[in-house]
Every structure is written in structure tokens, then in C-alpha cells.
Amino acid sequence: GVAFVIIWLCAAATSLPWGRVIEAGDPQQHEERAEVVAHMIILTICSSIILSLTYGMVYVSRSLSIMVDAFCCDVVHQESPERVAHFWNLTQAVLRKASVSVERCLLVLSIVILLIVPLVLVDMGVLGTHHAPVQAILPGAFVTCGILYFLLLAAQISEQCTRVPALINAVSFGEGTELARLHTVDYISNSAAGFYVFGARLTTSMILKLMYIWCIIIAGLLTNFGAM
């Protein structure tokens, strides 16, 4: 919670066109002063809504991650592989239900990341090329960092599920249970549990590719506008 408050404060603080505040102190420039105030209010409200939604999604992701960890800790106390498969059914059912419940929110946050780049271009046009491009990029960059943090947590759930079969395969349930344990390991592996978004399994590699593309775009914007 504290981290998201800090991100929101940074986004709000960097949205202030510092170079123009001094000019807006002139009584004859009421229009410019109103523009600066409106710019601050709109960005502060929008960033607070987006980061509040992101924080809610982070809370859900952490809860699901803890649930998978609790299942792994409980595996060693189960009496048979059949009981492990039963509890895994419950675990992946909760994962799928939670994923379906928040997938629309995740879609909205993904759209926000895609729209930040064109909105940064618009913001640069409003501020003018004589202002530093970093001034226009930083507010959106802080908000994007919060969203990417949630996406990494959600993708981590899928990575945790891929390591569950190896854990079960290392647990001994007694003599004569090797075949049942093998069936349980195959069943969990083929279940492909994880965090799903509209039927697509969210993985860390997907999020890293998104971060890579976003960083390239931002670096290109800084280079192009820095040369102006």
C-alpha cells in the first residue's frame, strides 16, 4: 500500500510543469494558470483511479500466490496422491474463478499501458518542445511501473504452478503409491493451472516482452524529442 502511495505522489508531483508555474504567477496570465491547475487535477484524479485499481489487483494476486504456497506446504502432510489431486482441483478451481473475476480489470490496465505512449505524445505537444520531454514522460512512467508490478505478480502465479509437479514427485507417500503419484504428477502437469486472461495463460515471458517493447518506445521518444 505504501509503495503505491509513493508512486501516486511521484506521478502527481512530476505532472506539474515547473517551468510554467513561475510564469503563471503573473496576474495577466490567468488562462495559463488555469491550464496548469486543470492539468494537475486531471492527471492526479486519473492516476489515483488507475493505481487504486492496480492495488486491488495486486492484493488478489498476492492472495492467490499465498494459496499456491499453502498447497505446496500441505502436500507433505497428505496421506495419499489421490488426496493431493483432490486439493489441487480445489486450488486450480479458485485460481480460474479469481482469474475470470478480474480479467476485465486486467484488460483495462493493459489498455492503459498501450494508451500511455500516444498520450505522452499529446502531452509533449501541449507542453511544447521547449520543455524537457522527461517532464511529460515521468507521470505515465510511474503509473506504468505500478501496473507492470501487478502483471509480474500475476504471471508469477503461473510460474509457481509449473513447479508444483516437481515438488509432488519428490514426496514419498509410502510403498505401493509410486504409480498413483506418477498419475497425480501427470494430472497436475496437464492441468496447466495458472493465471488466465480470456483463456490465455499469463506468463513472465509475456510480461518481460511487454516491458522490453515499452522501454524501447520510451527510449525512442526521449531520443527524438531530445534532438528537437
Side-chain angles (χ1 to χ4, degrees):
V2 177
F4 276 85
V5 172
I6 294 175
I7 291 175
W8 175 70
L9 290 176
C10 292
T14 54
S15 67
L16 179 62
W18 297 101
R20 298 174 63 191
V21 173
I22 298 176
E23 299 174 5
D26 190 341
Q28 299 178 356
Q29 299 180 352
H30 297 292
E31 273 186 29
E32 189 171 358
R33 187 184 301 113
E35 182 183 342
V36 171
V37 173
H39 183 272
M40 276 290 298
I41 292 176
I42 292 174
L43 194 141
T44 302
I45 293 176
C46 291
S47 61
S48 62
I49 293 174
I50 294 172
L51 290 176
S52 297
L53 178 61
T54 305
Y55 178 70
M57 297 300 99
V58 168
Y59 188 82
V60 172
S61 299
R62 284 179 173 172
S63 301
L64 296 177
S65 179
I66 293 173
M67 182 184 66
V68 176
D69 288 338
F71 169 83
C72 294
C73 293
D74 193 54
V75 164
V76 296
H77 302 294
Q78 295 300 325
E79 300 175 354
S80 64
E82 290 79 6
R83 293 283 296 172
V84 174
H86 170 69
F87 283 108
W88 180 252
N89 283 334
L90 298 178
T91 301
Q92 69 170 341
V94 174
L95 287 174
R96 184 57 66 95
K97 179 62 178 179
S99 300
V100 171
S101 300
V102 302
E103 62 184 6
R104 290 179 178 83
C105 295
L106 193 147
L107 178 63
V108 170
L109 295 177
S110 300
I111 293 174
V112 168
I113 292 181
L114 296 177
L115 290 179
I116 279 179
V117 174
L119 289 178
V120 164
L121 293 175
V122 174
D123 206 7
M124 285 180 174
V126 172
L127 290 175
T129 56
H130 59 284
H131 290 275
V134 178
Q135 183 179 336
I137 291 176
L138 278 180
F142 280 115
V143 174
T144 303
C145 287
I147 298 176
L148 289 176
Y149 175 66
F150 153 64
L151 293 177
L152 285 174
L153 286 180
Q156 185 182 3
I157 298 173
S158 300
E159 303 298 331
Q160 285 179 284
C161 293
T162 60
R163 295 191 289 267
V164 172
L167 171 65
I168 296 176
N169 195 45
V171 177
S172 176
F173 297 96
E175 287 188 31
T177 60
E178 290 79 9
L179 185 59
R181 182 182 63 189
L182 179 61
H183 289 324
T184 301
V185 170
D186 290 338
Y187 172 72
I188 294 177
S189 298
N190 295 328
S191 65
F195 197 95
Y196 281 80
V197 182
F198 296 103
R201 193 165 182 262
L202 194 64
T203 61
T204 304
S205 61
M206 296 170 58
I207 306 305
L208 292 178
K209 290 177 183 177
L210 176 62
M211 294 173 62
Y212 179 71
I213 294 173
W214 202 86
C215 289
I216 290 177
I217 294 174
I218 292 300
L221 291 176
L222 286 172
T223 303
N224 293 333
F225 279 88
M228 292 183 178

